[in-house]
Amino acid sequence: MSKSVSVAALGTPRIGPRRELKTALESFWAGKSDEKSLLETAAGLRAANWARQKAQGITVIPSNDFSFYDQVLDTSVMVGAIPAIYGWKGGPVPLGTYFAMARGSQGETEPHTSCGHAHHDHDHHHGVPAQEMTKWFDTNYHYMVPEFEAGQRFELASLKPVEEYREAKSLGYETRPVLLGPVTFLKLGKAKDPNFDPLSLLGELLPVYVDVLRRLSANGAEWVQIDEPCLVLDLDEPTREALRRTYATIAHALPQLKVMLATYFGALGDNLDTAVALPVAGLHLDLVRAPEQLDAVLAKAPRGLVLSLGVVDGRNVWKTDLEKVLAKIEPVAARRGTDHVQVAPSCSMLHSPIDLELEANLDAEVKGWLAFAVQKMDELSTLGRALAGGRDSVKDKLAASTEAAAARRASPKVNDKAVAARMAQVTEAFARRKSGFADRAKLQRARFNLPAFPTTTIGSFPQTPEVRKARAAHDKGQLGHAEYEQFLREETARTVRWQEEIGLDVLVHGEFERNDMVQYFGEQLAGFAFTRHGWVQSYGSRCVRPPILFGDVSRPKPMTVEWWRYAQSLTRKPMKAMLTGPVTILNWSFVRDDIPRSQASRQIALAIRDEVLDLEKAGAAMIQIDEAALREGLPLRRGDWKHYLDWAVESFRICASGVADATQVHTHMCYSEFNQIIDAIAAMDADVISIETSRSKMELLEAFRSYQYPNEIGPGVYDIHSPRVPDVSEMTELLRLARQRLKDEQLWVNPDCGLKTRKWEEVRPALINMVEAARDLRAASH
């Protein structure tokens, strides 16, 4: 009997190779198709997914990794954690209720994501709002935040995991069902009462999990995968105790069921002793993010524990160097026995594009270095065969892998001597403005002579259907370059004129020429590649195609100078130049794995610095460099924050600090939670920072007050994520609250975020009211 090694997929993309799920969902939401056809599309996608995995040699195929929107929302529905506002009275949860939790109901439009931060539109006077949404650990995927309260009851309200296991079985696939673990589920949720600890609900929640697991076992499941990614976070003792209690309860209730406990996105670290002592049959380790943990785990793992080795990167796009991985895992298989080792991706492949073969237009050399989900499955299967039958059994595949790795290392496309030489010349002076803020502020005030409480916007104006249609026609070659340019110039001129008419103090050009705040720059920088089908799910039907950062970055020529120059020629008022910052470009791309992220960030910073200096030379006196994703890149463990923030802030400063003192540098950040990183924000030393604050009624400014933030700040005075038009008094009240926390000379007046996704009929009255509110304030303060 030949020995074999299990090859597992922890989860797979669910959107379909051509985004079939997106099409089906949006058709259903628009009322163009019925529930039956949506369910049929979903079943077809699952069947194709299982077949694809089997064909690629995956032997441990997951089920219940499919979702119509998000796996955390699925878990909330499974356990009946459905807030009263959604009107559910018990029994099976209708799809309508599920989508109301995901998207709100009535009057909902496309969610706003111009800052990459996923918000939902709600007109609060109609229907119900969606649940809050936030980032899934440190990925660019978003989950719907569960809501908990004291006295919460749970009940089994959806049999989805059991139904999908049975569905796979009926098609001839034995699967390993995946559940989000109860402790991580509670930790990811939030309570309306900040003093209430959701973990206190564990006793209520566990019986529902045991019920689901019993049903899976009764239907023939021998193994289940339970994901507890909270094990890679900083945990307190009560959380560790909750994990011990959870798995003791499951082991006691279902001694025959084998649990593969999955951890990912980092190392177990100080939670290792807790993890290896849990009564589970298997433990999955992320050995891509945290390769250094393998020896410590091997030293402590009980003999009978099956180790799932996450050696293929589930959340990036690079081919695996198979021989290098084998050198690491062959000794593990030899020591523990091939029946106690599984080969797996580092995490679910949900975060990876689906199939590289669809990319017909990608540079052939770059394509040779990449692997999407389908190719990663093939890599896993090759590793499994090598462990079971020796390297000779797969020698052609190993040779091809080694050759690809060597070609990538040596390629001039990856290594640019000019970039290396420039990086070597960067000194501390690159990251410092010539003078401190107080001196710069005097020069800038004299230069601009703006009124008190100056008004501006964050940068983008509505991308109307006409704008999108013209861009699509230009992309397809149906609209000539000259005609498209003329169309964009007219849109820009109209927008500049309108801003002048309503009396804004600092104008923007509207960004009609830009597809996306990262892609627009990536397409003009050396070192980036773009796919046509490399879609990954951000949430629900929202998919993104991250740029692929494959090589040293430089800026071949100016990117935005001509558009800025044209816009400034239309007005005598200051025209802000608009750029995306290096850390945001980095955090929203698939990043190189052959150099540290800090180095890639610094390269992008130098490229943006060139653009900043060219804008200044062209006459730009205000330059905004958006770092929407700075906070998103924070490491999962607090102990790693300082290192990240140091290089992230330095990258911003490198791109912003080459200008003269009288040139005003702006930045925009679109999320809350400034308290924890206020030092880093101050260290960025932007002359003006604009932030989202309208929803928190300016409470977020407390951080800036207690820190005594010295620079200028534009707290958003209206929430652009809702179609509502706030009236003048509402904005005046917010400004009054802002004045209690900051000095008058620090305050700017602006919306919360860019206006790209809004309609002109919402934007026009809102901005007119905003200008009026600033005027009222000026009159009142004289």
Side-chain angles (χ1 to χ4, degrees):
M1 205 179 102
S2 76
K3 57 182 183 167
S4 67
V5 170
S6 296
V7 178
L10 304 186
T12 49
R14 46 219 184 195
I15 54 177
R18 302 202 179 265
R19 292 187 293 162
E20 292 85 348
L21 181 60
K22 177 187 176 71
T23 309
L25 282 170
E26 290 175 359
S27 162
F28 174 71
W29 292 336
K32 293 177 185 159
S33 59
D34 60 7
E35 190 167 314
K36 183 168 168 287
S37 68
L38 178 62
L39 295 176
E40 278 168 9
T41 299
L45 285 170
R46 288 191 292 269
N49 221 343
W50 290 322
R52 190 183 298 122
Q53 290 173 81
K54 182 147 193 179
Q56 294 293 334
I58 300 293
T59 59
V60 182
I61 295 173
S63 58
N64 196 42
D65 58 335
F66 174 84
S67 177
F68 275 125
Y69 209 89
D70 156 54
Q71 70 270 12
V72 185
L73 177 62
D74 293 350
T75 309
S76 294
V77 167
M78 176 182 88
V79 302
I82 301 170
I85 186 175
Y86 300 106
W88 174 68
K89 300 283 189 275
V93 179
L95 210 48
T97 305
Y98 176 88
F99 286 131
M101 292 170 76
R103 312 174 63 237
S105 68
Q106 293 171 37
E108 162 81 17
T109 58
E110 177 60 13
H112 163 88
T113 57
S114 75
C115 328
H117 209 53
H119 295 282
H120 290 259
D121 280 344
H122 307 299
D123 190 342
H124 291 290
H125 302 298
H126 307 288
V128 292
Q131 290 196 292
E132 192 185 309
M133 180 187 271
T134 195
K135 298 292 279 258
W136 172 247
F137 292 83
D138 58 357
T139 71
N140 285 324
Y141 176 81
H142 300 77
Y143 72 91
M144 306 306 302
V145 180
E147 291 172 31
F148 301 121
E149 58 190 12
Q152 176 111 21
R153 295 270 173 268
F154 296 104
E155 63 180 273
L156 184 55
S158 159
L159 286 171
K160 176 181 179 291
V162 184
E163 287 160 0
E164 291 184 12
Y165 172 76
R166 293 177 56 146
E167 184 184 319
K169 207 164 193 158
S170 71
L171 295 170
Y173 305 105
E174 181 53 46
T175 60
R176 183 172 74 186
V178 184
L179 294 174
L180 176 60
V183 179
T184 299
F185 174 66
L186 290 172
K187 298 282 285 182
L188 290 175
K190 63 169 220 179
K192 285 203 172 69
D193 172 2
N195 300 314
F196 178 72
D197 179 9
L199 266 191
S200 64
L201 298 170
L202 186 64
E204 287 286 333
L205 181 61
L206 281 178
V208 182
Y209 268 84
V210 168
D211 191 354
V212 173
L213 294 170
R214 274 216 177 94
R215 289 166 191 254
L216 285 168
S217 180
N219 277 283
E222 287 180 35
W223 278 89
V224 292
Q225 173 186 324
I226 304 185
D227 288 3
E228 292 282 13
C230 74
L231 273 160
V232 307
L233 305 177
D234 296 317
L235 298 184
D236 55 14
E237 197 43 43
T239 307
R240 292 185 183 138
E241 186 46 47
L243 286 157
R244 290 190 277 267
R245 178 180 172 193
T246 295
Y247 292 93
T249 303
I250 291 170
H252 179 73
L254 292 132
Q256 75 287 5
L257 186 69
K258 295 179 185 152
V259 171
M260 172 58 73
L261 183 71
T263 68
Y264 40 80
F265 302 152
L268 286 162
D270 54 358
N271 300 319
L272 172 59
D273 290 346
T274 305
V276 294
L278 296 172
V280 293
L283 178 65
H284 171 78
L285 307 166
D286 184 335
L287 297 175
V288 174
R289 267 300 177 87
E292 72 286 349
Q293 67 176 328
L294 182 58
D295 292 342
V297 175
L298 288 173
K300 294 192 168 181
R303 257 207 93 62
L305 189 69
V306 175
L307 288 182
S308 167
L309 307 174
V311 288
V312 167
D313 197 337
R315 48 186 285 193
N316 211 328
V317 291
W318 307 108
K319 269 187 177 158
T320 309
D321 187 337
L322 297 175
E323 297 219 11
K324 202 167 146 191
V325 167
L326 280 171
K328 203 158 86 180
I329 63 174
E330 279 164 341
V332 184
R335 198 164 124 192
R336 295 187 76 83
T338 48
D339 53 343
H340 280 80
V341 165
Q342 293 185 359
V343 181
S346 58
C347 59
S348 166
M349 290 181 281
L350 167 72
H351 311 287
S352 168
I354 297 179
D355 188 1
L356 185 63
E357 286 310 303
L358 297 173
E359 300 299 333
N361 300 42
L362 206 54
D363 177 275
E365 191 183 352
V366 174
K367 189 174 175 179
W369 308 330
L370 304 178
F372 293 177
V374 170
Q375 289 72 37
K376 289 176 192 297
M377 293 174 199
D378 187 55
E379 291 179 335
L380 289 164
S381 145
T382 301
L383 290 167
R385 296 214 303 278
L387 284 184
R391 293 191 185 196
D392 271 2
S393 61
V394 287
K395 61 175 187 290
D396 292 353
K397 295 220 166 188
L398 295 183
S401 159
T402 303
E403 197 180 324
R408 182 178 159 208
R409 274 195 301 274
S411 170
K413 286 200 170 112
V414 171
N415 310 293
D416 181 337
K417 287 192 178 67
V419 174
R422 185 155 184 220
M423 289 278 284
Q425 291 165 353
V426 174
T427 63
E428 273 183 39
F430 269 62
R432 266 201 321 272
R433 294 288 295 268
K434 295 181 181 67
S435 309
F437 172 72
D439 295 335
R440 302 197 306 262
K442 282 190 198 109
L443 292 170
Q444 290 165 16
R445 284 179 188 139
R447 179 178 193 178
F448 300 121
N449 196 23
L450 295 170
F453 315 112
T455 54
T456 188
T457 62
I458 302 304
S460 55
F461 269 97
Q463 294 242 337
T464 57
E466 293 75 40
V467 171
R468 289 199 294 271
K469 209 157 88 191
R471 179 179 305 127
H474 178 247
D475 288 348
K476 289 183 188 135
Q478 297 157 353
L479 182 64
H481 191 65
E483 293 86 346
Y484 181 53
E485 286 270 305
Q486 186 52 34
F487 167 80
L488 292 173
R489 279 172 163 251
E490 285 164 14
E491 282 292 313
T492 304
R494 200 171 18 244
T495 302
V496 171
R497 246 190 338 264
W498 182 77
Q499 292 173 83
E500 283 207 309
E501 277 164 23
I502 68 162
L504 279 164
D505 299 307
V506 173
L507 314 189
V508 297
H509 78 291
E511 302 179 23
F512 303 108
E513 77 287 2
R514 302 187 188 182
N515 40 19
D516 166 87
M517 63 184 283
V518 170
Q519 188 179 347
Y520 181 75
F521 292 97
E523 283 173 345
Q524 301 184 74
L525 293 169
F528 283 89
F530 289 82
T531 63
R532 305 229 15 199
H533 302 281
W535 296 100
V536 287
Q537 187 178 24
S538 174
Y539 58 88
S541 69
R542 168 89 185 171
C543 303
V544 292
R545 263 183 319 187
I548 296 171
L549 172 51
F550 66 82
D552 287 340
V553 176
S554 61
R555 187 202 64 147
K557 58 181 202 298
M559 304 181 282
T560 64
V561 174
E562 281 314 306
W563 277 112
W564 175 83
R565 194 178 264 138
Y566 169 66
Q568 183 66 78
S569 75
L570 303 170
T571 180
R572 302 179 75 156
K573 287 189 167 181
M575 175 63 60
K576 267 195 298 192
M578 306 298 308
L579 303 170
T580 302
V583 185
T584 297
I585 292 176
L586 185 86
N587 282 338
W588 289 346
S589 300
F590 285 120
V591 184
R592 295 170 68 168
D593 59 355
D594 57 338
I595 62 171
R597 288 172 74 87
S598 54
Q599 197 177 323
S601 181
R602 211 168 276 134
Q603 290 183 3
I604 304 169
L606 287 170
I608 301 292
R609 180 185 176 98
D610 290 344
E611 186 71 12
V612 168
L613 293 175
D614 277 346
L615 281 162
E616 186 183 47
K617 210 182 299 168
M622 290 185 186
I623 301 169
Q624 181 170 313
I625 306 163
D626 287 344
E627 279 295 16
L630 185 94
R631 193 182 184 284
E632 286 184 18
L634 272 183
L636 295 174
R637 289 196 180 243
R638 186 62 81 105
D640 300 325
W641 281 17
K642 185 180 181 319
H643 173 68
Y644 165 76
L645 288 169
D646 283 352
W647 65 252
V649 167
E650 187 205 38
S651 295
F652 178 83
R653 291 177 64 135
I654 285 173
C655 67
S657 293
V659 294
D661 286 343
T663 300
Q664 192 171 66
V665 173
H666 290 238
T667 189
H668 173 70
M669 295 186 163
C670 41
Y671 34 65
S672 51
E673 312 297 327
F674 288 113
N675 308 26
Q676 302 158 320
I677 61 163
I678 186 77
D679 300 18
I681 290 172
M684 289 167 74
D685 197 26
D687 296 306
V688 185
I689 178 173
S690 53
I691 56 171
E692 276 181 29
T693 46
S694 66
R695 280 200 247 189
S696 75
K697 301 281 186 276
M698 299 286 162
E699 281 155 24
L700 290 177
L701 292 179
E702 283 304 329
F704 291 86
R705 171 162 76 174
S706 53
Y707 181 83
Q708 299 195 307
Y709 183 78
N711 301 18
E712 294 175 20
I713 186 161
V717 295
Y718 87 92
D719 178 9
I720 70 99
H721 308 110
S722 159
R724 254 188 86 244
V725 175
D727 57 32
V728 177
S729 62
E730 223 173 294
M731 295 195 217
T732 316
E733 174 57 19
L734 285 174
L735 284 166
R736 192 184 66 71
L737 291 171
R739 289 178 73 194
Q740 290 172 6
R741 294 168 165 92
L742 295 168
K743 298 190 182 90
D744 282 2
E745 61 270 23
Q746 283 181 286
L747 278 175
W748 283 64
V749 178
N750 48 259
D752 260 353
C753 205
L755 301 166
K756 179 178 174 177
T757 57
R758 293 262 62 96
K759 298 185 171 77
W760 273 108
E761 49 270 32
E762 298 153 2
V763 165
R764 282 194 190 99
L767 288 183
I768 287 168
N769 289 353
M770 185 185 88
V771 171
E772 194 56 42
R775 284 182 180 144
D776 286 357
L777 208 58
R778 284 168 205 159
S781 60
H782 273 314

